[in-house]
Amino acid sequence: MVMAMSDSGASRLRRQLESGGFEARLYVKQLSQQSDGDRDLQEHRQRIQALAEETAQNLKRNVYQNYRQFIETAREISYLESEMYQLSHLLTEQKSSLESIPLTLLPAAAAAAAAGAAAASGGEEGGGSAGGRDHLRGQTGFFPTPGGASRDSSGPGEEGKQRTLTTLLEKVEGCRHLLETPGQYLVYNGDLVEYEADHMAQLQRVHGFLMNDCLLVATWLPQRRGMYRYNALYPLDDLAVVNVKDNPPMKDMFKLLMFPESRIFQAENAKIKREWLEVLYKTKRALSEKRRREQEEAAAPRGPPQVTSKTSNPFEDEEEEEPAVPEVEEEKVDLSMEWIQELPEDLDVCIAQRDFEGAVDLLDKLNHYLEDKPSPPPVKELRAKVDERVRQLTKVLVFELSPDRSLRGGPKATRRAVSQLIRLGQCTKACELFLRNRAAAVHTAIRQLRIEGATLLYIHKLCHVFFTSLLETAREFEIDFAGTDSGCYSAFVVWARSAMGMFVDAFSKQVFDSKESLSTAAECVKVAKEHCQQLGDIGLDLTFIIHALLVKDIQGALHSYKEIIIEATKHRNSEEMWRRMNLMTPEALGKLKEEMKSCGVSNFEQYTGDDCWVNLSYTVVAFTKQTMGFLEEALKLYFPELHMVLLESLVEIILVAVQHVDYSLRCEQDPEKKAFIRQNASFLYETVLPVVEKRFEEGVGKPAKQLQDLRNASRLIRVNPESTTSVV
């Protein structure tokens, strides 16, 4: 009973979800209103999920049942289409063969054959057929081989070859003006399918016509069976053939490399592909041999010029004969080696297969061979072809180093392209591209850092990322450009300064622009300096650069913190009551002693009294701790360019306290308070100021004359006990 209710509920739910006016939002709203709680919603969710899984299983089952039928149908359609194309091609070829029979010998047979071929082809227009008969009379045709490909069957004579070419001109629209080279004839032709090189998507059906010196590619005309439209013509000298490895369903393919593009074609089967490759290789080799023989004949020395007898015409003026200048025989350069003949093609293949080392090795081999040889026209022609490949290779290597490429892999990923550019004699360009690539990598690494947590933690990450990248770049640069022009090292120093500027921008934005405390800024600068000093391991010192770039921000931070201390001191001075400090507990007193000891005040014990009393004013004690803290943090930021800024800031801070004590001594009338003020002044002059001088000299490395003058000029004020005036 429960199972029946469950099935009926599932079918009802399925009908509700399949209805045309179903709205998910309204359905969920009604379901939420009708449910008693979370449990009902969970059960309903499970039912919907089970229904979805059942639907998916049914869909898969239906697809699997029909999948085999789909495959068989597509295969039969493909076979039928191939057979139709072969039949059309056979009929067209038979028509051409019959029409080539001389009408003078067999007038009746020729007429009957032409009529039968026209009726069999059936798809051609009347005007076009008549025109074809007029042009095909007296010519040989194509005898097809299996698979839609055919070889030239005409005899070896020039007449048969010319007839074959004439037939070709009638089959392809728009190519008559391209095929007017004397001695040109058809070698092989056949149907092919062109594919896109990047995504291997089928583009179009084409027909290839291989001549003895070029390859013509024509597209099919669907409206006119057996006719084609001109698409492209490629000289065999600039054509490279690459066998494409079968990778089902992509099989029976080969690639043609025509600098700087490439095209991929698929033959009907493996046999046709093999025939295409063989005939292409043989035709190219034959053309190379022909070119070599022509070069040898052109470079062969000519015989001495024949001396013509002097004319005996009495009416011609006698002229003095000039002595004959002997002809200088041009030195012959042997370019008949197979590797030289195939060099442009091999370079195209290496570039296409990203074999940069192999391409540069071939270029080095050629340059070494032609190093001490003259430059006759054949050599100049070869160099022109090779230079074009060098420009293409350079373009590819430049793209490899461009920031648009992936920046992963670190500096070592650029070594391959950089080394080949250097071997090509383009060291300056290699240096520029390498440094530009690394600048983009450093910028990307800095930008990807997350600003989270404490500032000091972020600065640790920033310094690690930047200086590690800089160190790796420097080491890779030293490996790649070892033994090159020293100007590259100058370029690296300039780049390092620019990269340091990028680092300081990110550093300052996080440390100084966010108004961090002086202690935090000091710790961050200290971390940056320590990382920068690690570059000294490879002989690179950039400390002066980071000082020059940070000096303005540090000056601003010192000035800002100095103003804070001065304002706080003035505020305490305005509320000064000149009373002893009572710290209430021994723990608080012990803590104060430790703080004063860390500030460098070692004789603070003599200023402590009974119990928890301190015989100093709160203002003077607070001023001492704040001034020594400012000095300690400022010394972490110190470098020579900040000497006067730090010194002047200290003098300004100390003057605020000294002037307040002097003013209080002159104005106070109570003898007890005046004695207490004098005790605070003694602590300030005889204890605090010497500690400041000593710590400054330790941190800077030389004494501060301004601090000495300030202490010597500030003497204790002696006051006449019976007078209200003070005397210095």
Side-chain angles (χ1 to χ4, degrees), residues 175-393:
C175 74
R176 182 178 295 274
H177 65 287
L178 299 173
L179 301 173
E180 297 178 352
T181 305
Q184 192 175 59
Y185 58 90
L186 183 66
V187 177
Y188 190 79
N189 75 100
D191 297 335
L192 297 168
V193 179
E194 183 175 6
Y195 281 78
E196 187 181 7
D198 295 331
H199 306 291
M200 299 305 291
Q202 184 173 337
L203 293 179
Q204 58 185 345
R205 296 182 64 86
V206 300
H207 196 88
F209 297 90
L210 177 63
M211 270 71 75
N212 59 322
D213 61 347
C214 62
L215 173 68
L216 187 145
V217 179
T219 56
W220 283 81
L221 290 176
Q223 301 83 4
R224 303 177 64 185
R225 289 294 181 90
M227 297 296 292
Y228 316 99
R229 177 179 289 116
Y230 168 78
N231 178 264
L233 183 69
Y234 303 108
L236 291 184
D237 292 331
D238 301 329
L239 188 69
V241 185
V242 179
N243 183 17
V244 178
K245 185 178 180 181
D246 290 349
N247 186 16
M250 301 302 168
K251 59 180 182 178
D252 303 328
M253 292 183 173
F254 60 92
K255 180 185 290 188
L256 299 181
L257 303 177
M258 300 77 61
F259 179 82
E261 60 177 320
S262 64
R263 299 176 72 171
I264 295 180
F265 299 101
Q266 183 184 43
E268 186 174 350
N269 51 48
K271 179 183 177 182
I272 301 299
K273 172 188 173 181
R274 186 167 59 253
E275 289 184 1
W276 268 108
L277 293 177
E278 289 178 357
V279 74
L280 278 168
Y281 289 142
K282 290 180 180 179
T283 307
K284 283 177 60 63
R285 191 175 299 110
L287 183 62
S288 299
E289 288 293 327
K290 179 181 177 182
R291 296 279 191 266
R292 182 182 62 80
R293 288 194 299 269
E294 291 176 354
Q295 292 176 0
E296 290 179 353
E297 292 175 0
R302 298 179 180 178
Q306 297 180 356
V307 180
T308 59
S309 60
K310 184 177 179 180
T311 179
S312 60
N313 191 346
F315 297 100
E316 291 183 359
D317 296 333
E318 294 185 1
E319 297 180 357
E320 296 182 359
E321 294 184 1
E322 296 181 359
V325 179
E327 294 185 359
V328 179
E329 182 179 350
E330 192 175 36
E331 186 178 349
K332 179 181 176 182
V333 179
D334 185 11
L335 300 179
S336 61
M337 282 84 76
E338 184 177 356
W339 69 271
I340 293 182
Q341 295 293 326
E342 298 180 356
L343 182 64
E345 302 171 7
D346 293 342
L347 288 175
D348 288 337
V349 173
C350 289
I351 294 173
Q353 295 178 349
R354 301 174 59 80
D355 184 11
F356 306 135
E357 294 83 358
V360 179
D361 289 341
L362 289 174
L363 293 172
D364 289 344
K365 184 178 180 181
L366 178 66
N367 293 331
H368 179 71
Y369 178 74
L370 300 177
E371 184 176 3
D372 299 328
K373 293 180 174 57
S375 299
V379 174
K380 292 180 180 179
E381 182 181 355
L382 176 63
R383 284 196 178 276
K385 293 181 180 180
V386 171
D387 290 343
E388 189 66 28
R389 271 70 175 181
V390 170
R391 283 191 289 271
Q392 176 66 9
L393 176 61

Side-chain angles (χ1 to χ4, degrees), residues 155-186:
E158 293 295 332
E159 182 180 356
K161 296 178 180 178
Q162 186 61 35
R163 289 174 182 173
T164 303
L165 187 59
T166 304
T167 305
L168 167 65
L169 295 178
E170 291 191 359
K171 286 180 173 291
V172 182
E173 295 181 354
C175 74
R176 182 178 295 274
H177 65 287
L178 299 173
L179 301 173
E180 297 178 352
T181 305
Q184 192 175 59
Y185 58 90
L186 183 66

Side-chain angles (χ1 to χ4, degrees), residues 378-432:
V379 174
K380 292 180 180 179
E381 182 181 355
L382 176 63
R383 284 196 178 276
K385 293 181 180 180
V386 171
D387 290 343
E388 189 66 28
R389 271 70 175 181
V390 170
R391 283 191 289 271
Q392 176 66 9
L393 176 61
T394 303
K395 183 179 178 181
V396 175
L397 292 174
V398 168
F399 178 71
E400 287 292 315
L401 293 173
S402 64
D404 298 334
R405 297 281 289 171
S406 176
L407 298 173
R408 297 179 180 178
K412 293 183 180 179
T414 63
R415 183 182 300 176
R416 185 182 179 208
V418 168
S419 60
Q420 302 313 315
L421 277 176
I422 294 175
R423 291 180 62 190
L424 289 174
Q426 303 191 32
C427 181
T428 302
K429 180 178 289 188
C431 177
E432 177 186 355

Side-chain angles (χ1 to χ4, degrees), residues 448-500:
Q448 290 177 349
L449 275 179
R450 292 186 177 182
I451 303 176
E452 57 185 3
T455 301
L456 186 58
L457 179 61
Y458 170 79
I459 295 301
H460 272 288
K461 293 181 180 178
L462 176 64
C463 291
H464 175 73
V465 169
F466 174 75
F467 286 102
T468 300
S469 300
L470 195 62
L471 189 62
E472 292 177 352
T473 301
R475 287 172 176 166
E476 185 63 27
F477 186 90
E478 191 172 5
I479 294 173
D480 292 345
F481 295 92
T484 59
D485 186 10
S486 58
C488 294
Y489 290 90
S490 301
F492 176 77
V493 174
V494 173
W495 173 86
R497 193 188 191 290
S498 175
M500 189 65 74

Side-chain angles (χ1 to χ4, degrees), residues 548-617:
L549 295 175
L550 286 175
V551 62
K552 187 175 180 180
D553 291 325
I554 296 178
Q555 285 179 356
L558 292 176
H559 178 76
S560 176
Y561 202 68
K562 176 199 69 175
E563 294 297 330
I564 293 175
I565 294 177
I566 290 176
E567 289 298 323
T569 304
K570 288 182 178 180
H571 179 72
R572 289 192 297 266
N573 290 344
S574 64
E575 299 177 353
E576 179 61 76
M577 302 298 294
W578 293 114
R579 296 175 180 174
R580 293 190 304 163
M581 292 178 62
N582 185 4
L583 298 179
M584 307 299 292
T585 62
E587 290 79 7
L589 180 60
K591 182 179 179 181
L592 179 61
K593 290 179 180 180
E594 290 296 328
E595 291 176 351
M596 298 305 290
K597 185 176 181 181
S598 64
C599 290
V601 181
S602 57
N603 59 344
F604 187 71
E605 290 285 347
Q606 66 185 33
Y607 295 100
T608 59
D610 299 334
D611 296 332
C612 299
W613 290 90
V614 177
N615 298 326
L616 292 173
S617 169

Side-chain angles (χ1 to χ4, degrees), residues 566 569-570 573 651-661:
I566 290 176
T569 304
K570 288 182 178 180
N573 290 344
V651 171
E652 289 185 37
I653 293 172
I654 293 172
L655 279 177
V656 173
V658 170
Q659 290 172 358
H660 173 65
V661 171

